[in-house]
Amino acid sequence: MEKAASTFSKKSFWIKQIHRWHWMSSALCLIGMILFVVTGITLNHASEINSRTHIEIKQAKLPEALLSMVVEGNGGALPQNVSDWLERTLSVSLSKQVAEWSEDEIYFSMPRPGGDAWLSIQRSDGAVQYETTDRGLIAWMNDLHKGRHTGLVWRVFLDVFSLACLVFCMTGLFLLKVHADKRRLTWKVVGVGLAVPMMLSVFAHL
């Protein structure tokens, strides 16, 4: 009798823990899952959604004192004085950007979620052109969904979010098992949820 009571007590304890993990993981995932569902739809219909692209171009010319640093440079990081002047003049941060040196120019490619940017410096005369492209809110959200052109912080968030979703799903599966005896359709519905995507994947190219 005592053994049965002890077993029941342990089972009750773990069921309570699973319930706690389930609601906590669902709370952590709630907003993120809504955003990923919405962007899943917008990605699926990307060609049908019209978005307005905004392009901004800024031009400048390096002072003579800095031009020599560009002319004489042979690759590697941009001289700090030149980088500081560009940041002040064009409001662009180059601290984490990699310069691509060629015979004619120094080029920075700066893609970002929902847009793009690039900066070029002509080594012959110091002419600078900085162009930014903003493709709008939906493009920004779509790129976040894919983790496209994102940094370390967002990638870490995606890993944590994915782990929380996994906990949410696995604890949900356990709770389905716990309550399956009272709901006869439980495993049939789970089976449909498994079978339908597998069947449709065969025709995904159509």
Side-chain angles (χ1 to χ4, degrees):
M1 190 72 175
E2 291 181 2
K3 184 177 180 180
S6 176
T7 301
F8 177 80
S9 177
K10 289 181 179 179
K11 182 178 179 180
S12 177
F13 168 80
W14 282 111
I15 291 176
K16 288 180 179 179
Q17 292 301 313
I18 295 297
H19 272 97
R20 181 175 290 111
W21 296 342
H22 187 67
W23 78 256
M24 289 180 68
S25 60
S26 68
L28 287 171
C29 295
L30 177 61
I31 303 302
M33 288 183 72
I34 292 174
L35 291 175
F36 273 78
V37 167
V38 171
T39 51
I41 295 173
T42 57
L43 280 168
N44 198 37
H45 297 274
S47 62
E48 303 167 23
I49 299 175
N50 295 323
S51 61
R52 181 174 297 178
T53 300
H54 175 71
I55 299 176
E56 182 179 3
I57 299 175
K58 295 181 180 180
Q59 295 179 328
K61 193 166 186 177
L62 289 175
E64 289 294 331
L66 300 178
L67 179 58
S68 59
M69 299 181 185
V70 171
V71 173
E72 297 170 5
N74 58 358
L78 196 66
Q80 189 62 47
N81 290 344
V82 177
S83 179
D84 291 342
W85 183 87
L86 290 170
E87 291 186 11
R88 291 194 306 270
T89 305
L90 301 175
S91 300
V92 55
S93 177
L94 299 175
S95 58
K96 297 182 180 180
Q97 304 300 328
V98 178
E100 300 175 19
W101 294 69
S102 68
E103 184 178 345
D104 300 322
E105 70 172 358
I106 303 171
Y107 183 82
F108 291 88
S109 178
M110 297 174 281
R112 59 190 181 187
D116 196 6
W118 58 267
L119 183 146
S120 69
I121 306 172
Q122 297 301 314
R123 300 183 69 182
S124 58
D125 59 2
V128 180
Q129 181 161 319
Y130 174 52
E131 181 177 306
T132 59
T133 302
D134 184 352
R135 299 188 180 92
L137 178 62
I138 292 179
W140 175 70
M141 293 174 62
N142 287 347
D143 283 350
L144 290 182
H145 180 110
K146 295 182 289 185
R148 183 170 180 262
H149 301 318
T150 56
L152 176 63
V153 173
W154 185 256
R155 291 198 297 271
V156 170
F157 164 75
L158 288 181
D159 287 343
V160 174
F161 172 75
S162 298
L163 181 60
C165 286
L166 181 61
V167 172
F168 173 67
C169 292
M170 296 306 295
T171 52
L173 181 62
F174 179 84
L175 292 175
L176 283 176
K177 182 180 184 303
V178 170
H179 299 291
D181 293 340
K182 300 176 183 178
R183 301 180 177 92
R184 296 182 179 180
L185 291 177
T186 296
W187 298 121
K188 293 180 180 179
V189 174
V190 171
V192 170
L194 172 64
V196 169
M198 291 182 65
M199 293 173 60
L200 292 179
S201 67
V202 177
F203 305 99
H205 64 287
L206 298 178

